[in-house]
Amino acid sequence: MDCDALFTNVHLACMAGPDIVDGAIAVRAGRIAWLGPRAQAPAATVVHDGGGRWLTPGLIDCHTHIVYAGSRADEFEARLNGASYEDIARAGGGIMATVRATRSASAHELLRQSLPRVAALLAEGVTTLEIKSGYGLDLASEIKLLGAARRVGQLMPVEVVTTFLGAHALPPEFAGRADDYIDMLCRDMLPAVAQAGLADAVDAFCERIGFSAAQAERVFAAARALGLPVKLHAEQLSDQGGAALVARFKGLSADHLEHLGAAGIAAMAAAGTVAVLLPGAYYFLRDTQPPPVAALRQVGVPMALATDCNPGTSPLTSILLAMNMACTLWRLTPREALAGCTVHAARALGRHATTGSLEVGKRADFALWDIARPADLAYAMGLNPCRMVVNAGVPREPVVSLPDQY
Ligand code: DI6
Ligand code: FE
């Protein structure tokens, strides 16, 4: 068996089956063709010596709002002076402030502001990135944002997965008419976005300051009718029964979950819905209600971790710091944190057949780390030990330069 490339003299954190110490992994046509002990490695055209470092699956940031315009540092200051996130949202700031900035930015400007954030994630070994819409809230602006998100995947060495989050907040044109907005979303926006091939999944913000469970349910019904999988921002600030709702639609994930109760946990376990935990938002909002990690663990709900990169609640572009926060704030084990950014994150995107673990047949997405043991990834804060990233078999430096034409 001849392979295109062999990455040898590495320890493999496979995240599916046991680690392989002193191993090697072979690639053919962009996929993993073989992995095992170094001594048994097949021949390959190109051989990369990993220098005894650790190789993990490429990291997956499965929940971001990374494409947006503007900054909300002013709200950060206001919150430090005592205003709450919900107060600011009700006063027309919050998500609406970013909607105004995003609507008025050109697609080029959106990319110019967003690409440095993407580059920061890529430097930490991210090979798959989910990007949500939800700062446009009208058809043209949502299409502009999702088109920019798709463009990120063409301009940068990363697999982009897009999610339509039209039900993120009520746009001012529909003030006091949330049901009319949801009607329009289901009738016009969602079919147009699906038709344009711009969405891989559909999400909603189910919250007192967002949409009700009944409104989210209508969005889900429309999404499923178009063949799109669903996920939900659920139980972040209050328990709205969102996790049980998304589980009923066999959703890919329920995300945030600080206020998740027993019924939601049971429903997620039965449906196989992934819990996506977002410690950056918890930290940045100075939240005090941790998600029910022990209960999720006990019933075997897979826990993914993501940055939630967004300007209001989690201006975080470090997946490694998200791992540290999940361990420090919520007592995930470092191994659970790594699984949260690899194998479980892939499941939260419906991509577990193609990425998220080192297994024969999966896409050859890897990160090579200068660490003594995998727990070092969640342990250190602010150190980036990534030495090489491999996207579908193609090696690159962790630090990527920004494109000058887009
Ligand atoms: N939950 C979040 O964490 C973000 N959206 C959401 O539904 C926050 C978005 C923002 O404040 O801009
Ligand atoms: Fe979010």
Side-chain angles (χ1 to χ4, degrees):
M1 172 176 72
D2 254 27
C3 294
D4 302 335
L6 183 74
F7 298 84
T8 189
N9 192 17
V10 286
H11 307 308
L12 303 172
C14 299
M15 308 313 291
D19 292 350
I20 301 172
V21 172
D22 200 15
I25 187 162
V27 176
R28 195 184 317 114
R31 291 179 180 273
I32 299 172
W34 176 91
L35 74 172
R38 167 157 65 138
Q40 296 167 23
T45 315
V46 181
V47 177
H48 302 271
D49 188 324
R53 297 187 177 90
W54 276 90
L55 194 84
T56 68
L59 302 187
I60 299 173
D61 195 346
C62 68
H63 179 141
T64 87
H65 313 245
I66 203 166
V67 173
Y68 63 85
S71 159
R72 306 237 297 272
D74 54 342
E75 293 179 9
F76 175 54
E77 293 184 282
R79 283 196 300 103
L80 293 175
N81 283 317
S84 78
Y85 180 66
E86 291 181 87
D87 292 340
I88 291 168
R90 290 212 171 84
I95 293 171
M96 269 322 130
T98 302
V99 169
R100 289 188 288 274
T102 301
R103 283 182 172 179
S104 58
S106 66
H108 183 272
E109 180 61 16
L110 259 184
L111 281 167
R112 191 189 69 75
Q113 294 191 30
S114 304
L115 287 171
R117 295 189 281 265
V118 173
L121 289 173
L122 299 200
E124 289 187 345
V126 168
T127 54
T128 300
L129 172 64
E130 189 254 17
I131 303 177
K132 298 179 194 297
S133 71
Y135 291 124
L137 308 184
D138 60 43
L139 179 57
S141 305
E142 287 287 295
I143 285 191
K144 175 179 70 179
L145 196 162
L146 288 166
R150 285 275 193 246
R151 192 86 188 105
V152 168
Q154 296 161 353
L155 292 165
M156 305 284 266
V158 66
E159 177 84 4
V160 167
V161 179
T162 58
T163 301
F164 174 64
L165 178 56
H168 192 197
L170 190 62
E173 310 83 86
F174 282 86
R177 297 187 296 128
D179 281 308
D180 291 350
Y181 177 65
I182 296 296
D183 284 344
M184 188 280 286
L185 185 152
C186 295
R187 190 189 58 231
D188 301 336
M189 289 171 95
L190 187 48
V193 164
Q195 175 69 36
L198 286 172
D200 299 311
V202 174
D203 192 351
F205 185 34
C206 184
E207 197 53 70
R208 288 184 302 240
I209 56 168
F211 294 93
S212 68
Q215 289 162 342
E217 179 169 0
R218 289 164 58 209
V219 174
F220 286 176
R224 295 303 299 133
L226 292 163
L228 291 170
V230 298
K231 43 179 55 218
L232 190 67
H233 280 72
E235 283 53 296
Q236 179 186 9
L237 309 170
S238 60
D239 188 350
Q240 303 280 321
L245 170 68
V246 72
R248 189 144 58 74
F249 281 81
K250 297 273 174 276
L252 293 172
S253 68
D255 302 39
H256 284 290
L257 302 177
E258 281 82 348
H259 294 264
L260 177 65
I265 295 171
M268 289 175 67
T273 298
V274 175
V276 177
L277 305 180
L278 304 165
Y282 174 92
Y283 165 85
F284 195 68
L285 292 178
R286 310 181 82 234
D287 201 346
T288 53
Q289 167 82 45
V293 165
L296 289 165
R297 182 188 286 132
Q298 198 185 354
V299 297
V301 172
M303 292 182 282
L305 277 181
T307 62
D308 196 17
C309 177
N310 79 73
T313 64
S314 189
L316 174 64
T317 52
S318 171
I319 190 112
L320 295 177
L321 185 54
M323 288 168 64
N324 175 273
M325 286 176 171
C327 297
T328 307
L329 298 171
W330 299 335
R331 297 177 188 276
L332 268 77
T333 66
R335 188 57 74 148
E336 285 175 325
L338 183 56
C341 300
T342 54
V343 63
H344 298 324
R347 185 168 289 277
L349 297 178
R351 297 294 173 97
H352 47 286
T354 51
T355 190
S357 60
L358 305 182
E359 288 180 89
V360 169
K362 286 199 175 182
R363 197 166 59 223
D365 292 344
F366 319 137
L368 183 73
W369 308 95
D370 197 7
I371 53 176
R373 58 189 72 75
D376 287 346
L377 294 175
Y379 158 72
M381 295 186 286
L383 184 77
N384 181 7
C386 191
R387 290 295 171 270
M388 181 176 70
V389 184
V390 179
N391 299 95
V394 180
R396 65 164 170 91
E397 294 289 323
V399 175
V400 297
S401 50
L402 297 175
D404 41 29
Q405 295 257 299
Y406 45 88

